[in-house]
Amino acid sequence: MVRTVLATVLALLSSLVLAQGFVIEQAPGPGGQLGPEARRRLEQYRPVFELQNSLRLMLELDKQKNLSFTKAQAQKLLPILKDLQTRADLKPADAEKILVSIEDKILTPAQLKWMDETQLKRQQELRQRRENGGQGGQGNNLQGPGPGGPGGPRGGDLFQAIQQGKPFNPFKEDPAKKSLTDLVALLSKR
């Protein structure tokens, strides 16, 4: 359950953290709240998280009636996705260019519509859970269980890499790595 929440939070991080003043527990800063500098750095990475979320949604998109990827789309997407797998660092500007290219040159209007509607629905569900005191009621703990017990390195490493300006590519670690690998495998069969 914690990993599911982690994946959801990472995918929606930009809109939840920044647009709604979301508090993230266990993040650097007094009381676990993000300070202005941390928020600014995370805001810079919004395109990276949007790309991550879009690729995760593409796995589900392919299962929808009349929306699955064509062979031509797969041939265009595969080089982009394989490049993401090999990058040590994914700069926000590069992520934005990749996402714009996918949306403008590869996906159909019907596919984009489904992705947008699904994303909005999930944001509303998450917001409602928060308001009802469910998972993430006061904030979200981005650190899932890991070596050393609760609060393992996953969430902390994410923040440290971004905050310290170290190379960051979410597709090098799960859950984004698995989603990308699964999408590449799916499209390779076309």
Side-chain angles (χ1 to χ4, degrees), residues 1-166:
M1 182 68 172
V2 172
R3 290 182 190 235
T4 302
V5 172
L6 175 65
T8 302
V9 170
L10 289 175
L12 301 173
L13 186 64
S14 59
S15 63
L16 296 175
V17 171
L18 304 163
Q20 299 170 11
F22 204 57
V23 175
I24 299 177
E25 298 174 56
Q26 305 291 326
Q33 294 185 1
L34 292 175
E37 178 63 22
R39 286 180 184 268
R40 185 187 66 74
R41 285 198 179 268
L42 286 174
E43 173 63 26
Q44 290 174 339
Y45 277 83
R46 178 186 299 254
V48 174
F49 296 115
E50 288 175 354
L51 177 61
Q52 178 183 349
N53 186 50
S54 292
L55 295 183
R56 183 183 49 79
L57 281 173
M58 285 183 202
L59 275 170
E60 296 175 50
L61 171 72
D62 193 69
K63 298 174 186 172
Q64 305 305 308
K65 185 176 180 179
N66 299 322
L67 294 178
S68 54
F69 292 104
T70 65
K71 184 176 183 172
Q73 285 177 309
Q75 289 174 340
K76 291 177 184 176
L77 278 169
L78 281 169
I80 296 168
L81 302 178
K82 288 178 180 179
D83 174 62
L84 287 173
Q85 289 177 313
T86 62
R87 285 177 183 246
D89 191 19
L90 179 57
K91 300 286 186 204
D94 294 337
E96 188 170 352
K97 288 177 190 173
I98 291 167
L99 189 56
V100 166
S101 178
I102 290 170
E103 290 177 348
D104 290 352
K105 298 176 182 175
I106 300 173
L107 298 178
T108 67
Q111 289 171 325
L112 288 170
K113 180 181 177 188
W114 181 88
M115 288 177 64
D116 288 343
E117 289 173 351
T118 301
Q119 179 63 27
L120 285 173
K121 179 181 173 188
R122 290 183 183 168
Q123 285 175 341
Q124 290 169 345
E125 289 170 355
L126 186 59
R127 190 176 306 120
Q128 194 166 23
R129 279 197 314 263
R130 247 190 9 246
E131 290 170 0
N132 292 336
Q135 272 295 341
Q138 257 308 328
N140 276 323
N141 179 350
L142 286 183
Q143 296 193 358
R154 294 168 58 127
D157 287 350
L158 166 83
F159 281 108
Q160 285 180 339
I162 290 173
Q163 306 239 340
Q164 295 173 1
K166 292 181 180 178

